[in-house]
Amino acid sequence: MARLLLIEDDLTIRTPLIRALRERGHAVAAASTAMAGLRDALDDRPDLVVLDLGLPDLDGRELLRMLRAVSSVPVIVATARDDDAEIVRVLDAGADDYVVKPFTAAQLDARVRAVLRRGPSGTDGQDPSLVVGGLRVDPRSRQVTLDGVAVELTPREFDLLHHLAGRPGQVVTKRELLTEVWQIPYGGADKTVDVHLSWLRRKLGENAQQPRYLHTVRGVGVRLEAPAAQP
């Protein structure tokens, strides 16, 4: 049984589709706006998102971009836009598949099963984990291990570490972290980043004075790198 999140504002489409997908054995939650869908995707961690592009508060492609900044959840775009250029833009934006309206529940179910067989975000079953030294960050299970030992993180701490682990050896600015991890504009909130980095360091068994993985670059941001890579 897959846990699906359907982001669709049209009640005449949403209601029968939820019923039909549930009849096919899926657990289905639904949202009618982009912002509600983003919140549910981050809070509930579904196995797959079905995303309508024509949402009332935000274009679906923009929501897809926001999702891709913080999550590797597979996304199938459901759209009435059937021109090739739009489909290419959707796939380039990070969609795993698309289905053109009108479609049947059977067609969507087949695409859901095909995407999930390929693995998270179309990885064809490859391990999507990010490895930096003895640190392993698995976006599929949202689990982190350090030298083989599980590290318990809050959802925000995981998102922060996952973002940094995707850029090993690079200095990541607080502006980028606030925009991509917190989805809020920069300005006066950089202390939020500092506090979460402090909590994250503690759970990784280090501190700012004796860093192993997380290195502060004063006035710029933070860099994640393996201890062996230190000069």
Side-chain angles (χ1 to χ4, degrees):
M1 179 179 69
R3 295 179 300 111
L4 309 181
L5 172 61
L6 174 62
I7 306 177
E8 167 64 65
D9 68 311
D10 190 333
L11 187 63
T12 63
I13 295 175
R14 188 172 69 245
T15 300
L17 198 53
I18 290 172
R19 182 172 60 250
L21 289 171
R22 285 175 176 169
E23 289 173 353
R24 285 167 170 79
H26 302 297
V28 186
S32 59
T33 66
M35 289 297 95
L38 179 63
R39 183 189 62 243
D40 291 348
L42 297 180
D43 290 347
D44 299 337
R45 307 296 175 183
D47 297 317
L48 184 142
V49 172
V50 179
L51 172 62
D52 175 34
L53 293 184
L55 298 170
D57 56 335
L58 195 68
D59 185 79
R61 271 199 289 132
E62 180 64 16
L63 174 57
L64 177 60
R65 186 194 67 80
M66 295 168 67
L67 265 176
R68 277 292 164 259
V70 295
S71 174
S72 61
V73 61
V75 176
I76 296 176
V77 166
T79 176
R81 308 169 192 175
D82 58 357
D83 61 289
D84 288 345
E86 179 65 15
I87 291 170
V88 169
R89 284 193 291 268
V90 164
L91 294 173
D92 285 344
D96 295 271
D97 200 355
Y98 68 91
V99 58
V100 177
K101 297 177 180 178
F103 55 84
T104 66
Q107 290 172 335
L108 179 58
D109 180 47
R111 291 180 180 270
V112 167
R113 289 184 281 109
V115 169
L116 292 177
R117 280 198 302 270
R118 294 203 300 266
S121 294
T123 56
D124 295 324
Q126 298 177 13
D127 187 353
S129 297
L130 302 174
V131 179
V132 182
L135 191 64
R136 178 179 291 272
V137 181
D138 185 349
R140 177 174 48 197
S141 63
R142 293 185 62 83
Q143 293 181 342
V144 173
T145 58
L146 178 59
D147 299 326
V149 179
V151 180
E152 295 297 328
L153 301 179
T154 66
R156 187 69 75 191
E157 290 166 354
F158 178 90
D159 292 340
L160 174 59
L161 183 60
H162 181 256
H163 189 83
L164 294 171
R167 297 151 181 78
Q170 300 179 26
V171 179
V172 181
T173 65
K174 292 179 182 178
R175 180 187 297 272
E176 177 180 337
L177 292 173
L178 282 169
T179 301
E180 301 297 338
V181 178
W182 274 265
Q183 299 293 325
I184 60 176
Y186 185 80
D190 54 317
K191 290 298 181 184
T192 298
V193 178
D194 293 335
V195 169
H196 281 79
L197 283 172
S198 176
W199 292 340
L200 194 52
R201 282 192 175 98
R202 189 181 312 155
K203 292 184 178 182
L204 295 180
E206 60 182 72
N207 56 58
Q209 290 69 43
Q210 296 178 306
R212 294 183 65 233
Y213 285 91
L214 293 167
H215 300 262
T216 297
V217 180
R218 189 175 297 276
V220 183
V222 63
R223 181 181 70 252
L224 176 72
E225 64 181 16
Q230 296 177 30

